[in-house]
Amino acid sequence: MRFTGYSFGSIRVDGVTYDHDLIIDRGKIRKRKKAASRKFRGAYEDIPWRCRRLVIGSGADGALPVMKQVRKEARRREVDLVVLPTAEAIGVLTGTTKHTNAILHLTC
């Protein structure tokens, strides 16, 4: 997977530009559905747990909160949880995506 651009509200992956938050689940990209998590500001959604490492891009300023329950669930599932501002998260994903899923928040 090639990340060639990120700016507030936009990301380019494998030559395709997206203007919405993304979930990368075992190499497949899909839109993050915010409706399910709006009440908890991003904490509960269809989290792609089938991985060894889950990278969460917490927005341009790192403002997306990750609730304690999500961190606890990651420990229970023995998933390495990495939470970074989105630009830094993309850097981690550029290094390796094998066995790694991601949630990328493009704003905040």
Side-chain angles (χ1 to χ4, degrees), residues 34-50:
K34 293 183 181 183
S37 62
R38 188 165 287 148
K39 180 180 176 183
F40 298 102
R41 300 181 62 137
Y44 292 108
E45 58 192 278
D46 187 18
I47 296 173
W49 288 115
R50 294 180 65 185

Side-chain angles (χ1 to χ4, degrees), residues 50-100:
R50 294 180 65 185
C51 59
R52 292 185 187 150
R53 179 171 58 171
L54 177 62
V55 176
I56 297 178
S58 57
D61 296 325
L64 181 76
V66 177
M67 293 179 70
K68 290 179 186 176
Q69 293 90 334
V70 173
R71 294 177 189 276
K72 183 177 178 181
E73 183 64 15
R75 282 191 302 274
R76 186 187 74 76
R77 291 175 180 255
E78 298 181 355
V79 170
D80 179 25
L81 183 64
V82 178
V83 181
L84 297 167
T86 300
E88 294 177 41
I90 291 167
V92 169
L93 293 171
T94 299
T96 180
T97 56
K98 188 172 182 172
H99 305 293
T100 301

Side-chain angles (χ1 to χ4, degrees), residues 1 13-14 18 22-31 48 100-102:
M1 203 165 276
V13 184
D14 292 337
Y18 299 91
L22 300 180
I23 293 182
I24 301 172
D25 188 356
R26 292 169 281 156
K28 297 196 184 338
I29 297 173
R30 61 186 161 92
K31 183 177 182 178
T100 301
N101 288 339

